[in-house]
Amino acid sequence: MRIGLFIPCFMNELYPNICKATYKLLKNQGLQIEYPLNQTCCGQPMANSGCSKDVKKLAIEFVKTFKDFDYIVAPSGSCVAMVKEHYAEFFDNDKDYNKVKASIYEVCEFFHDIIKVENINFNVSFPHKVGLHNSCHGHRVLKLATASELNIPYDSKLKNLLNTISDIELITLRREDECCGFGGTFSVQEEAISVAMGKDRIKDHLDSNAEIMTGADMSCLMHMDGIINRDKNPIKVMHIVEILAGVKP
Amino acid sequence: MSSHSVNASKFVANDERMHWHDQALWFVREKRDKASKSIPEWEQLREFANQIKTHTMANLDTYLLQFEENATKKGIKVHFAFDALEHNQIVAKILKEHNVTKLVKSKSMLTEECHLNPYLENLGIEVIDTDLGERIVQLRNEPPSHIVLPAIHLKKSDVSDTFHEHLGTEQGNYDPTYLTRAARGALREDFLTAQAGLTGVNFAIAQTGGVVVCTNEGNADMGASVPKLHIASMGIEKIIPRLEDLSVFTRLLARSATGQPITSYTSHFHAPVEGGEMHIIIVDNNRSQFLASEKNKKALNCIRCGACMNTCPVYRRSGGHSYEYVIPGPIGSILGSKKEPEKHNSLPFACTLCGSCTNVCPVKIDLDSQLYSLRQDLANANLIDPKKKMAMKVTAWLMSKPALFDFVGKMARKIIPKLPNSILYNKANVWGKQRDLPKMPPKSFKEMFKDGELDD
């Protein structure tokens, strides 16, 4: 089983240690991980800004880079959602794209659905109060958990994984899946609302006495981390793979 | 800055009021969650509603004519209006023919869309909005900020001040019961003296030729029953095929809107009152362009429950007026920017694409997908900020050159940590106004990988 590691552009530049945790987490499961070096960006920021036309070249490159892997795994729900949901317009029912679309996974989704929880032992203790921020694209597009709006049986792939960690205490938030307000270029175009939403999301965690806020999308966490650091809030942000990989806060 | 973000930042500036607004609407969303989860077949109902509406819109020509035929048979006069002006002209003509000097109106977003009130007032006809929330905003000379809760942006104290000024209530009396009774007393007088009543329409049943109006205050019933003249205004998309289809929508509508099992009044109007007249005006006003759009046609399925507003984290924190369109929130952003893209080009971007609206929508409109595709339409029509468009082009170009991208990243990681905060957090750094920038690591992941630092 060949696995292609897709590292979102901003994570490569800003969060190499989280990328490393992702890499090691996969490797520790005895999987064959390859990291294609010519990858850059899935094009999501441009497409969400209305400029999907500019993304075509990136999409074609992406598919070329990753088409031969059995699975493509990335530590970001929204970048995976971009490839799955918004690339179709660049490909006319193309066989390579269809394969990529079917084989790309957010890393937690990959562990949960392909490796399966019963086959995993992260062998990690994390004795902290943790709040899970469900980033919207992973949550509602990839359906990593049941959205609160729907009347269907509840499940959460992220919580199922976190619950395999010893000594972790997952706190309950007042608003299970409220958006944090990052939203790509929304974060600067609608700066006031974006920050207000981020502050509210952080407050929900603080009010629940969470020491750590985690999630599967570093972009949302980066936005809230920026507010947390500015406001000196007593909470720390960690990507979910860091917790699963045994990184200490 | 785009117009929505300018308005939104003003709304956010009053932190206490913004949070009060957010919480008021979140409360409605939670009530909706409870109500929807009390019905095991909720998701199936949504799918039925989606299919009924989609089918109806695909056969609208047939159903509209069927409706006209059956309504006419019942003694109702049916009019078709191409646009807002024609709608207003038809209303004015009917009113003139009956020498109407005072019209009572129940809630109708369509008449807001057509700006009927000022049109009639210019002709010397007094118009009284009789829905309590509508009446409040009418007295304040404001547009509604929500389609179901028109005065949700106002507090008890605001209402008290308004009523004190216009209805002569005690100054500083914020008691909701007292204020509601005062409005009721004044409105009762209006119902008895108006010569005509105008209502909106929630559903028009092709098979029966009748219309259904859902309200909580009974004001539509008063307005349609006390005066001898009843005018019902509806958009072409209000049609449903059969009476039995109605049950699907009445089960969804109030639960989605306010968390009630059903509205207090679900009134069926199938004929004029004895000795009176009933008119139905069916309005297009740019609706048919949605039928022609593969990507946006499902927007016509909307039953105006307002659930997408209540759930929208941006709407809750920016208020309905920030949208500057008659219908705010996710569905309003679609309708407004599709109908008048130049004027409402900021609306599809007043959204994080969180997708909550699509999940909450009782007729399963693909709201977030439409907002995404409308962004593309706006960019293609050069209706986004040219600086942003250029920045995106440059970014896409840079990202298509892996080696150059790596180099630029490396330089940024070298230079940025050396910059003093006074330069780093300059005015152009909108991100950094209220947020710290992430710390620059010494190496990118790619560099760590190349340097063999992953297997330590």
Side-chain angles (χ1 to χ4, degrees):
Chain A
M1 181 157 81
R2 280 181 72 207
I3 296 171
L5 183 62
F6 162 36
I7 294 293
C9 53
F10 77 102
M11 288 185 72
N12 172 55
E13 297 298 336
L14 297 172
Y15 299 103
N17 288 328
I18 300 171
C19 306
K20 181 177 167 182
T22 309
Y23 177 85
K24 292 188 82 166
L25 203 58
L26 288 161
K27 205 142 204 202
N28 288 346
Q29 299 302 319
L31 300 166
Q32 186 195 333
I33 313 298
E34 293 174 47
Y35 173 56
L37 287 169
N38 59 336
Q39 60 180 292
T40 56
C41 170
C42 67
Q44 187 188 185
M46 292 72 103
N48 284 356
S49 302
C51 303
S52 70
K53 273 198 176 150
D54 298 336
V55 173
K56 187 170 180 179
K57 207 172 161 193
L58 296 179
I60 289 167
E61 276 306 311
F62 187 96
V63 168
K64 219 161 85 188
T65 304
F66 284 103
K67 68 184 167 60
D68 294 325
F69 291 102
D70 297 307
Y71 293 100
I72 305 149
V73 179
S76 162
S78 68
C79 302
V80 170
M82 172 71 199
V83 174
K84 269 177 112 97
E85 295 297 309
H86 296 305
Y87 270 20
E89 64 174 289
F90 308 122
F91 302 93
D92 182 20
N93 198 24
D94 175 78
K95 139 175 132 343
D96 291 336
Y97 170 58
N98 290 345
K99 179 168 181 271
V100 163
K101 181 180 164 141
S103 48
I104 188 164
Y105 284 79
E106 186 279 328
V107 61
C108 294
E109 185 186 25
F110 178 77
F111 278 121
H112 192 277
D113 294 358
I114 305 300
I115 309 293
K116 302 207 181 299
V117 176
E118 60 268 27
N119 299 326
I120 302 170
N121 183 4
F122 292 120
N123 203 13
V124 163
S125 161
F126 196 78
H128 299 282
K129 286 186 173 177
V130 176
L132 173 64
H133 171 67
N134 289 300
S135 285
C136 301
H137 289 174
H139 191 59
R140 293 194 184 83
V141 179
L142 302 182
K143 300 180 168 55
L144 295 181
T146 309
S148 60
E149 302 90 10
L150 300 175
N151 187 2
I152 56 173
Y154 182 80
D155 195 18
S156 164
K157 294 176 188 180
L158 303 184
K159 283 187 189 168
N160 292 345
L161 289 177
L162 287 172
N163 281 329
T164 67
I165 303 296
S166 316
D167 311 313
I168 193 167
E169 186 185 336
L170 281 176
I171 55 99
T172 306
L173 298 163
R174 269 196 296 267
R175 299 187 188 180
E176 163 92 10
D177 48 15
E178 175 94 322
C179 176
C180 71
F182 170 66
T185 49
F186 178 91
S187 62
V188 290
Q189 188 166 347
E190 290 266 7
E191 189 261 352
I193 296 274
S194 173
V195 171
M197 286 168 69
K199 285 186 173 181
D200 287 350
R201 199 71 192 123
I202 294 162
K203 183 164 189 303
D204 200 350
H205 283 78
L206 292 173
D207 289 346
S208 312
N209 295 316
E211 302 158 58
I212 307 291
M213 176 196 284
T214 192
D217 254 295
M218 205 52 219
S219 49
C220 306
L221 296 176
M222 170 175 79
H223 156 68
M224 287 188 282
D225 193 40
I227 299 170
I228 287 167
N229 291 332
R230 179 65 59 90
D231 293 353
K232 304 196 170 31
N233 292 133
I235 188 167
K236 194 176 179 320
V237 153
M238 288 178 81
H239 192 283
I240 188 165
V241 296
E242 294 182 282
I243 296 180
L244 300 178
V247 174
K248 300 282 168 253
Chain B
M1 265 210 294
S2 64
S3 62
H4 180 273
S5 66
V6 174
N7 297 336
S9 55
K10 286 179 199 153
F11 196 84
V12 167
N14 188 338
D15 187 71
E16 186 266 329
R17 200 174 178 103
M18 178 274 281
H19 278 113
W20 167 81
H21 189 263
D22 166 66
Q23 193 52 49
L25 288 153
W26 183 256
F27 175 73
V28 182
R29 157 75 208 273
E30 285 186 314
K31 275 176 70 188
R32 171 262 170 216
D33 287 351
K34 234 185 197 158
S36 64
K37 277 160 194 165
S38 69
I39 296 187
E41 66 273 28
W42 181 257
E43 298 303 331
Q44 201 180 8
L45 275 177
R46 290 177 71 220
E47 185 49 35
F48 285 165
N50 169 26
Q51 290 186 18
I52 294 167
K53 275 286 183 183
T54 303
H55 161 83
T56 313
M57 291 308 124
N59 298 279
L60 195 55
D61 51 343
T62 312
Y63 287 121
L64 277 171
L65 292 176
Q66 193 189 341
F67 175 78
E68 182 195 19
E69 189 187 335
N70 290 326
T72 309
K73 275 187 205 159
K74 290 193 151 65
I76 301 167
K77 292 183 180 161
V78 180
H79 312 258
F80 286 91
F82 173 70
D83 58 12
L85 178 64
E86 194 179 359
H87 165 263
N88 294 351
Q89 286 168 342
I90 293 169
V91 175
K93 186 163 175 281
I94 300 168
L95 296 180
K96 283 269 178 233
E97 280 167 8
H98 292 79
N99 300 315
V100 172
T101 54
K102 185 176 195 169
L103 171 74
V104 279
K105 254 179 70 197
S106 72
K107 186 134 57 66
S108 152
M109 291 313 296
L110 176 62
T111 58
E112 291 287 341
E113 176 187 325
C114 296
H115 303 290
L116 177 68
N117 289 17
Y119 183 87
L120 293 179
E121 283 157 4
N122 275 336
L123 298 174
I125 298 167
E126 187 185 1
V127 184
I128 307 285
D129 275 309
T130 61
D131 171 90
L132 179 59
E134 285 277 332
R135 185 65 181 145
I136 295 166
V137 296
Q138 187 187 27
L139 290 172
R140 295 171 63 90
N141 205 14
E142 283 176 2
S145 70
H146 188 288
I147 61 173
V148 173
L149 314 158
I152 190 69
H153 59 293
L154 298 172
K155 293 189 168 192
K156 283 183 287 191
S157 54
D158 302 319
V159 176
S160 174
D161 293 346
T162 304
F163 281 10
H164 171 67
E165 188 187 336
H166 296 276
L167 304 179
T169 56
E170 288 167 28
Q171 190 158 25
N173 191 334
Y174 300 160
D175 177 35
T177 309
Y178 167 75
L179 294 170
T180 309
R181 285 203 175 133
R184 189 171 188 262
L187 285 171
R188 188 55 55 108
E189 195 56 33
D190 294 320
F191 282 123
L192 294 175
T193 52
Q195 302 95 347
L198 188 145
T199 66
V201 169
N202 289 96
F203 305 100
I205 306 162
Q207 179 199 45
T208 67
V211 298
V212 178
V213 181
C214 306
T215 71
N216 278 325
E217 297 167 23
N219 57 314
D221 305 81
M222 286 283 282
S225 311
V226 179
K228 291 290 179 197
L229 176 60
H230 174 200
I231 303 170
S233 293
M234 57 177 268
I236 54 170
E237 81 282 17
K238 294 290 167 192
I239 297 275
I240 54 171
R242 304 164 303 179
L243 182 60
E244 63 215 79
D245 299 323
L246 179 66
S247 61
V248 172
F249 294 100
T250 47
R251 295 189 78 196
L252 288 165
L253 178 63
R255 287 187 173 91
S256 299
T258 57
Q260 294 166 271
I262 193 162
T263 44
S264 306
Y265 300 88
T266 302
S267 307
H268 295 241
F269 298 98
H270 277 77
V273 290
E274 256 182 57
E277 265 183 38
M278 180 172 171
H279 296 257
I280 295 175
I281 309 173
I282 303 173
V283 185
D284 184 334
N285 204 27
N286 278 323
R287 283 164 176 70
S288 45
Q289 68 163 299
F290 284 85
L291 285 179
S293 158
E294 198 52 50
K295 280 179 178 162
N296 300 117
K297 65 180 176 188
K298 276 183 86 177
L300 284 189
N301 294 4
C302 176
I303 58 171
R304 301 289 189 265
C305 70
C308 62
M309 289 153 216
N310 304 340
T311 204
C312 177
V314 177
Y315 172 88
R316 275 187 264 114
R317 292 176 183 81
S318 65
H321 291 157
S322 64
Y323 293 80
E324 296 182 346
Y325 182 66
V326 58
I327 296 175
I331 186 68
S333 298
I334 292 169
L335 298 173
S337 66
K338 177 84 181 165
K339 284 183 183 175
E340 297 171 277
E342 286 91 359
K343 190 171 170 197
H344 299 296
N345 62 345
S346 69
L347 296 187
F349 296 96
C351 159
T352 60
L353 299 174
C354 80
S356 182
C357 48
T358 299
N359 277 350
V360 93
C361 177
V363 294
K364 297 179 94 164
I365 299 172
D366 49 347
L367 292 150
D368 65 318
S369 303
Q370 290 201 33
L371 289 165
Y372 174 86
S373 81
L374 284 165
R375 293 179 183 191
Q376 316 307 325
D377 295 347
L378 288 168
N380 293 339
N382 288 321
L383 289 173
I384 66 167
D385 180 2
K387 274 185 283 180
K388 180 160 122 177
K389 196 165 181 177
M390 184 46 75
M392 292 303 148
K393 226 180 193 53
V394 171
T395 311
W397 175 80
L398 175 65
M399 292 300 185
S400 71
K401 310 256 180 290
L404 183 62
F405 170 62
D406 291 345
F407 175 76
V408 170
K410 193 177 183 137
M411 284 302 110
R413 267 176 284 103
K414 271 205 159 65
I415 296 164
I416 290 174
K418 295 201 176 92
L419 295 176
N421 277 353
S422 56
I423 290 179
L424 205 49
Y425 290 94
N426 63 57
K427 266 203 174 138
N429 179 358
V430 181
W431 173 278
K433 236 172 106 182
Q434 301 181 72
R435 284 169 291 216
D436 281 3
L437 291 163
K439 286 194 180 58
M440 292 279 165
K443 282 183 177 181
S444 71
F445 176 69
K446 208 175 272 181
E447 288 168 332
M448 287 168 79
F449 181 86
K450 281 184 182 162
D451 296 348
E453 290 174 22
L454 297 187
D455 295 305
D456 51 14

